[in-house]
Amino acid sequence: MSKKVKKRLTVLGIILAAAALLVLLANVLPGSGDSRTVAGEESEFVDATYQSYLSEHGFDGTFAQGECVFDLKNYTGTENLTAEIVGESLKIGETGDVTVPVSVAETGFYNIEITYLNIEGTTATPERGMLIDGEQPFDGLSQISFYRQWKNSADGTIVNKRGSEVRPSAVEVFSQQTFYLADSQRRTLTPYAIYFEAGEHTITFTESKEPLQIDSIALKKAPEYMTYEEYLTEGISEYDGENIVCQAERAEGGTVDIIKTSPTIGTTSDYSSMYTVPTHTYKVMLNTIGGTTWVNPGDAIEWTVNVPSEGYYQLAFRARQNTNRGVMSFRRLRINGEVPFKEAEEIGFSFSGGFQNYVLSLGDEPMLLHLNEGENTISLEIVLGDFAYALSTIEDSVIVLNDMYRRILQITGTVPDRYIDYELDTKIEDFEETMTEQYEKLMSVVDNVVAITGEKGERTVTIEKAALQLKRFAEEPDRVKLEISDFKSNVSSLGTWMLNIAEMPLEVDSFTLSAPKAVLKSAEPNMLLGAWNEFKRFMATFLTNTSQIASNTDSTDDAIMVWIASGRDQAQIIQNLIDDSYIPNSGKSVKFQLTPAGVLLPATLAGTGPDVSLAMAQASIVDFAVRNAVTDLTVFDDFEEQAAKFKTSAIEAVTYNGGIYGLPETQSFSMLFYRKDILDSLGLEVPQTWDEVREMISVLHTNQYDFYIPTTGLFSTLVIQNGGDMYSGEGSDYGIQSGLSSEEAMVAFKELTEFFTAYKLPVSADFSNRFRVGEIPIGIADYTTFNQLEIFAPEIKGLWSFAPLPGVKDAETGEINNTAVSGSVHTAILSKSQKQDDSWEFVKWWLDEETQVNYANTLEAVMGSGARYATANPEVLRRLPWSTSQARLLLEQFDKTKGIPDVPGYYMTSRMVDFSFKNVVTEGQNAREALYLNIKDINDELTKKRKEFHLNYIEEEGVGNE
């Protein structure tokens, strides 16, 4: 044996010996993650508008006796209402307002009990606003949520494929539910007390989103919760058996079933602890539930458990809250559908870097819970708990400070002159009082947060910074002009603070039902066991390929190869759909791979590319088509049937030389976003034409506001609206020359540049942020901006909306052309594929309405509403979680979209238009002259590329053909 081999064996022996010693010590030393208690305490916070309503009607805690039932059969509604009586229930659609009457026998305060059944719709939670006798008495009635119920897959199981578990699709469960009307944001937990005088009254559910079946509505007093001390007097014996460990994410151990209120509450994988069950060194195990997917107030998880005998049980959750430092995540506990006692209304789970055993406790004593023999349900619902006051106060302050910021801008502009005394304290009547009042409010929130968390830190520094600035402004108003940008930044930071504080994450691995003060297994392994686990995971990286979406060992030689360049989450969802739907129904095999975007073209040219490529940009489709690398889909007999599912604009975008080379997956277009509150304060209407936009800009500028236009990004839309086209030529000659020399294009370019020269609109701006603070209350952006604003601008929720684009009005007919040029992403079949028919069948399955709806809903469930799918299929869009009014506006603009093919040499058009724009806006060149001088370069490049690909072209002496 050589010395080198002996040396290697010696090193290997040392490693094995060290590993053995590590395991030995690991099993001897104690674990970490000792049990923590979770104190229950009821919040006293009441929303200001609701408190005013109670005070106005003299509420002293006394309720009327008896019960009054609404007459659902005698409903009335607006003209666009879709509703019907089904048995004793009222079934209402997405459109219109519905009003139901009630006869009240006794004057007084009542709670409102609603029993409902969700019916099939999208994945969104059905919502309605409520009016009492035609009026909304307080803000809390503007949004009522009727939560759906979901399971992870039809039978609740998590599927293991090729050794790794895959995230199951959420399946809706339809069952009748009853609740008492209360704050949907879970800031106030007590049901609303509504005042009714004796006589005839009505309530109205206003249009929002999703269909709904109302089974009954009654005025009655909600039951009061007993105290924990009273709860223990039931005379039930304490459970004294073995610990019952219930898995939180799957029906194993003592867990029989799991129901959740949102499909976005997902199962997750934890590799950090070997005590998380089930566990594996490198394979994917979906072993926890919740985390950052379980954060929104009102969302709940309900576990059905089986216990051997009736008795009082101790309940401990193995969980962690490691994403929101300085914040406790609050939950409301229900046992068998009811809150067992008052102290269970708000249970706080403190921040922890690792898993902990959270024993539900009051002080040092565990809370005992009465469970019946057999099946019981245990539910945790997100509530804001002690943070309700802080969040609501900051929310009110942000509204006031945003208004103050806009009033200041109307005097100083966005860039104040430091040498001018703007006299803000005299020109803004309540300037000093407002600044002082808001300073005191913000400091009260700091005290509140410190009282909850026990420390000052990152959750208080943002508030203190803003508060101290307000104090300086109150004492020295002239400082505002020096700190106006910081003021805006601080207000935006408070908005972000609201977003963060309202999120209540909690990741649960399991929970244990046990005898009181039973010994629980350590939540975390000791240091050496943890080190051993990390060592095994490290060694596994040399032996496994963790970047592969799925193993192909079970694929046959005739399997089609499908590639996608996207995120891993998207790819995994598609793989699951292929495994669960396409392969079983078609009997065909698929090799699905996640690849970098730049690999496709060289692989195709080298003959090693896929059969089908997903998520190809329309420009890439044309690049491939001119090289004969993708298949003309019109060769398939049923192509017209498939293409009819989409808008012509999406098909136009991938038409080249008489062929159509892709079918669209996604399609996006611009919408007009606007702040309703600011436009109303200025007496402005949403503009429908560009002439109205110009009139509006003058009013906006007078009040120190702006209008946002995405510079050259709007140019092609203006060309189309004016009756022009970006290129000349027809059929296979489309793109033979630029169309920008036409009068329509020249007019469009002049109109565009005048917005930035004559009307001084900002050439560059962060539209989302400036829209959020109100500096730019109206502007044009891709409609997917909606998702960003909905998530990251909670302080302006309900204050903004979108509308179709302004357009060009025909002087003769009066019709408005508000066409929007759209962009699209497509699926294509590679021309070198030897499996053309099988590939076409896969494309049809992938772009089928049901497949796309499943993909879109799963994508949003996994990644949140910010990942809402920009589908190219109008029927799929109707089934996504848009509200009725939002979907109506989107489809209105969708019908007026135009696709512009990216012809050979297309890139020179955007480049030269950008040069022309800069020549006009920054150098003052004449618009027509600037555009005209750059058209020659466009035509030269178009001719060059058409020669290269043997297409007709135009030379000075006429038409040529190579």
Side-chain angles (χ1 to χ4, degrees):
M1 185 180 295
S2 68
K3 290 184 178 180
K4 182 179 289 187
V5 172
K6 288 182 178 180
K7 186 176 181 180
R8 287 179 178 177
L9 290 175
T10 301
V11 172
L12 179 60
I14 293 173
I15 292 175
L16 292 174
L21 180 61
L22 192 63
V23 172
L24 178 64
L25 290 174
N27 286 285
V28 173
L29 295 179
S32 60
D34 293 337
S35 301
R36 293 187 177 185
T37 59
V38 188
E41 185 175 339
E42 184 188 9
S43 172
E44 299 295 332
F45 175 78
V46 177
D47 176 70
T49 60
Y50 177 52
Q51 183 63 62
S52 297
Y53 171 80
L54 295 178
S55 300
E56 179 184 346
H57 292 87
F59 181 64
D60 61 0
T62 303
F63 285 84
Q65 301 301 310
E67 179 177 338
C68 307
V69 179
F70 283 78
D71 186 0
L72 299 180
K73 292 185 177 180
N74 285 326
Y75 72 90
T76 57
T78 54
E79 290 184 2
N80 61 335
L81 174 68
T82 55
E84 62 176 324
I85 294 295
V86 180
E88 299 297 318
S89 303
L90 173 59
K91 187 176 180 180
I92 54 180
E94 290 186 297
T95 59
D97 301 346
V98 63
T99 300
V100 291
V102 65
S103 294
V104 178
E106 177 188 353
T107 297
F109 284 90
Y110 295 83
N111 300 126
I112 300 181
E113 181 193 63
I114 302 176
T115 300
Y116 70 98
L117 175 68
N118 271 314
I119 54 183
E120 189 172 356
T122 71
T123 59
T125 299
E127 293 178 353
R128 294 291 187 276
M130 179 181 283
L131 306 178
I132 307 293
D133 294 329
E135 303 288 338
Q136 183 180 295
F138 51 88
D139 292 347
L141 294 185
S142 63
Q143 178 184 332
I144 303 170
S145 299
F146 297 82
Y147 287 98
R148 297 183 182 275
Q149 293 183 315
W150 302 85
K151 294 178 68 171
N152 286 332
S153 72
D155 59 0
T157 60
I158 296 175
V159 179
N160 188 297
K161 294 180 179 178
R162 308 175 184 96
S164 292
E165 294 180 338
V166 296
R167 185 175 284 108
S169 299
V171 177
E172 187 168 3
V173 178
F174 299 98
S175 62
Q176 193 178 69
Q177 300 180 68
T178 299
F179 71 98
Y180 283 91
L181 186 64
D183 178 18
S184 64
Q185 298 299 314
R186 300 304 187 262
R187 303 183 189 188
T188 304
L189 299 183
T190 305
Y192 285 139
I194 310 295
Y195 180 77
F196 288 92
E197 293 183 349
E200 302 300 316
H201 296 274
T202 62
I203 64 168
T204 300
F205 289 109
T206 58
E207 173 183 293
S208 183
K209 60 183 178 182
E210 298 298 304
L212 184 68
Q213 178 174 306
I214 303 292
D215 293 329
S216 68
I217 308 174
L219 303 181
K220 59 192 295 188
K221 186 179 183 300
E224 293 183 356
Y225 302 131
M226 66 182 75
T227 65
Y228 179 64
E229 185 177 354
E230 294 169 334
Y231 178 76
L232 289 181
T233 61
E234 295 181 351
I236 307 298
S237 60
E238 295 180 352
Y239 171 73
D240 59 0
E242 297 293 324
N243 291 359
I244 305 170
V245 179
C246 308
Q247 289 303 312
E249 79 289 344
R250 67 187 65 219
E252 287 185 10
T255 305
V256 176
D257 198 9
I258 304 169
I259 298 290
K260 53 189 183 178
T261 59
S262 171
T264 62
I265 302 173
T267 51
T268 56
S269 298
D270 170 58
Y271 294 100
S272 66
S273 174
M274 60 193 303
Y275 280 7
T276 305
V277 176
T279 186
H280 195 278
T281 303
Y282 59 86
K283 290 183 178 178
V284 176
M285 295 287 112
L286 299 174
N287 47 20
T288 66
I289 191 169
T292 56
T293 66
W294 189 26
V295 297
N296 298 317
D299 279 341
I301 303 175
E302 179 183 272
W303 297 273
T304 300
V305 299
N306 200 322
V307 297
S309 61
E310 183 181 13
Y312 284 122
Y313 287 76
Q314 173 182 281
L315 176 60
F317 287 89
R318 183 180 185 269
R320 65 179 174 186
Q321 193 282 92
N322 64 341
T323 58
N324 220 352
R325 184 180 293 275
V327 173
M328 294 182 73
S329 287
F330 287 93
R331 296 294 187 272
R332 171 159 52 186
L333 173 70
R334 285 190 173 91
I335 302 295
N336 294 322
E338 301 291 339
V339 176
F341 41 82
K342 209 170 187 63
E343 292 83 352
E345 286 232 77
E346 297 176 13
I347 297 174
F349 293 79
S350 59
F351 176 85
S352 171
F355 282 94
Q356 296 289 336
N357 286 322
Y358 291 96
V359 181
L360 271 61
S361 306
L362 280 173
D364 295 329
E365 294 297 318
M367 292 191 299
L368 302 183
L369 303 172
H370 177 198
L371 300 180
N372 300 315
E373 180 180 352
E375 292 189 357
N376 298 261
T377 62
I378 298 173
S379 168
L380 290 182
E381 177 192 15
I382 301 177
V383 297
L384 283 173
D386 293 342
F387 287 104
Y389 167 79
L391 179 61
S392 295
T393 303
I394 294 295
E395 185 176 71
D396 292 341
S397 287
V398 167
I399 292 173
V400 172
L401 294 176
N402 265 328
D403 178 66
M404 180 59 73
Y405 176 70
R406 293 194 296 269
R407 291 162 68 185
I408 291 170
L409 287 188
Q410 290 176 338
I411 298 172
T412 67
T414 55
V415 186
D417 190 325
R418 63 185 303 151
Y419 299 107
I420 295 178
D421 184 0
Y422 292 98
E423 299 179 339
L424 294 176
D425 52 336
T426 57
K427 292 181 179 178
I428 300 178
E429 184 178 353
D430 56 348
F431 180 85
E432 183 177 345
E433 293 82 356
T434 299
M435 293 298 180
T436 301
E437 179 184 4
Q438 296 308 313
Y439 160 74
E440 293 172 351
K441 279 190 172 183
L442 294 184
M443 291 308 296
S444 73
V445 172
V446 172
D447 295 338
N448 177 259
V449 173
V450 171
I452 298 170
T453 63
E455 63 180 6
K456 284 189 175 183
E458 60 183 292
R459 293 300 169 196
T460 60
V461 65
T462 299
I463 309 172
E464 281 189 289
K465 182 181 177 183
L468 293 175
Q469 185 182 53
L470 298 181
K471 185 179 181 182
R472 291 196 300 272
F473 287 172
E475 295 171 350
E476 303 176 62
D478 201 41
R479 292 184 65 95
V480 173
K481 65 188 179 187
L482 304 177
E483 301 181 22
I484 187 69
S485 61
D486 289 338
F487 181 41
K488 179 181 76 171
S489 177
N490 286 339
V491 175
S492 295
S493 295
L494 289 176
T496 303
W497 186 93
M498 287 168 47
L499 181 68
N500 293 334
I501 207 72
E503 292 183 343
M504 296 281 166
L506 184 66
E507 183 180 6
V508 186
D509 166 48
S510 62
F511 55 95
T512 302
L513 295 166
S514 65
K517 298 184 179 180
V519 177
L520 303 175
K521 180 181 177 180
S522 295
E524 291 281 17
N526 60 51
M527 182 179 65
L528 290 178
L529 271 176
W532 173 242
N533 184 57
E534 291 303 311
F535 174 76
K536 289 193 297 181
R537 291 196 62 217
F538 171 73
M539 295 303 296
T541 62
F542 296 100
L543 306 174
T544 60
N545 179 10
T546 59
S547 64
Q548 196 168 348
I549 293 295
S551 170
N552 295 317
T553 55
D554 58 349
S555 298
T556 61
D557 292 338
D558 62 349
I560 62 169
M561 179 73 76
V562 180
W563 283 11
I564 186 172
S566 70
R568 187 173 182 84
D569 282 335
Q570 291 92 324
Q572 184 63 67
I573 294 169
I574 297 171
Q575 178 68 63
N576 295 346
L577 289 172
I578 292 171
D579 290 342
D580 297 340
S581 175
Y582 180 72
I583 293 177
N585 293 327
S586 69
K588 304 290 185 180
S589 296
V590 176
K591 294 181 180 179
F592 183 66
Q593 292 185 5
L594 177 62
T595 59
V599 170
L600 182 59
L601 183 57
T604 302
L605 296 176
T608 57
D611 298 294
V612 178
S613 178
L614 308 186
M616 290 183 68
Q618 63 182 56
S620 297
I621 294 285
V622 175
D623 286 340
F624 275 63
V626 298
R627 293 168 174 83
N628 298 315
V630 285
T631 299
D632 178 2
L633 301 182
T634 61
V635 300
F636 297 106
D637 293 338
D638 54 349
F639 171 77
E640 293 296 334
E641 177 187 344
Q642 298 300 317
K645 299 176 182 178
F646 309 100
K647 295 296 181 184
T648 303
S649 53
I651 304 300
E652 289 173 333
V654 288
T655 300
Y656 166 73
N657 203 18
I660 299 173
Y661 293 90
L663 283 178
E665 300 175 23
T666 64
Q667 187 173 4
S668 60
F669 46 86
S670 294
M671 296 285 284
L672 181 66
F673 289 79
Y674 63 95
R675 287 281 298 268
K676 294 184 287 187
D677 55 337
I678 298 177
L679 295 194
D680 288 346
S681 69
L682 299 176
L684 295 172
E685 299 289 336
V686 178
Q688 295 185 347
T689 68
W690 293 110
D691 288 335
E692 292 176 4
V693 168
R694 295 180 186 93
E695 294 173 3
M696 170 180 276
I697 291 173
S698 299
V699 178
L700 292 174
H701 282 176
T702 300
N703 292 277
Q704 304 292 345
Y705 294 115
D706 246 322
F707 192 108
Y708 177 73
I709 289 178
T711 60
T712 55
L714 186 65
F715 178 55
S716 57
T717 291
L718 287 176
V719 171
I720 299 299
Q721 289 185 1
N722 278 280
D725 201 337
M726 297 298 289
Y727 301 100
S728 63
E730 295 181 357
S732 60
D733 285 340
Y734 182 78
I736 199 167
Q737 274 197 322
S738 172
L740 301 186
S741 58
S742 68
E743 179 63 19
E744 294 84 359
M746 288 292 177
V747 169
F749 188 70
K750 182 175 182 294
E751 289 177 344
L752 174 67
T753 53
E754 280 182 346
F755 282 123
F756 303 94
T757 55
Y759 292 91
K760 305 298 183 183
L761 296 189
V763 175
S764 176
D766 184 343
F767 173 65
S768 296
N769 273 328
R770 297 187 69 181
F771 183 81
R772 177 182 183 179
V773 300
E775 290 179 1
I776 300 181
I778 184 168
I780 294 168
D782 192 280
Y783 87 82
T784 54
T785 304
F786 178 95
N787 302 329
Q788 179 184 357
L789 292 171
E790 187 78 357
I791 295 172
F792 295 110
E795 71 274 19
I796 60 172
K797 185 177 179 65
L799 301 179
W800 61 276
S801 187
F802 54 23
L805 291 183
V808 176
K809 189 173 185 178
D810 188 289
E812 296 181 2
T813 65
E815 294 184 359
I816 298 174
N817 182 351
N818 69 331
T819 302
V821 171
S822 64
S824 48
V825 171
H826 297 254
T827 293
I829 298 174
L830 280 299
S831 59
K832 290 189 177 182
S833 169
Q834 301 300 309
K835 307 177 182 69
Q836 293 286 318
D837 290 337
D838 287 348
S839 297
W840 176 239
E841 291 302 316
F842 178 85
V843 170
K844 291 193 294 183
W845 167 83
W846 166 236
L847 297 177
D848 178 73
E849 182 179 327
E850 290 302 320
T851 305
Q852 288 288 287
V853 168
N854 288 337
Y855 174 70
N857 288 337
T858 306
L859 184 67
E860 191 162 344
V862 172
M863 303 180 68
S865 58
R868 185 165 299 168
Y869 194 52
T871 177
N873 188 325
E875 293 305 316
V876 174
L877 187 145
R878 287 187 176 91
R879 296 174 62 181
L880 296 185
W882 297 101
S883 72
T884 304
S885 59
Q886 292 162 1
R888 185 166 55 242
L889 292 167
L890 287 173
L891 290 169
E892 182 181 338
Q893 186 65 75
F894 210 161
D895 286 336
K896 299 177 181 179
T897 51
K898 172 73 174 176
I900 299 178
D902 291 295
V903 301
Y906 66 89
Y907 47 83
M908 189 60 71
T909 299
S910 58
R911 189 180 305 170
M912 292 299 108
V913 169
D914 188 52
F915 288 166
S916 303
F917 179 84
K918 291 176 180 176
N919 289 338
V920 175
V921 175
T922 63
E923 299 177 14
Q925 192 173 353
N926 177 271
R928 283 178 175 269
E929 179 184 352
L931 183 59
Y932 182 78
L933 291 175
N934 284 301
I935 289 175
K936 184 179 183 302
D937 288 332
I938 299 175
N939 285 333
D940 287 347
E941 188 66 20
L942 294 177
T943 299
K944 174 185 173 183
K945 299 305 291 185
R946 293 181 73 83
K947 285 181 178 180
E948 180 181 341
F949 296 112
H950 309 292
L951 301 170
N952 290 343
Y953 57 90
I954 294 179
E955 292 185 321
E956 293 182 3
E957 62 273 12
V959 177
N961 192 329
E962 287 195 351

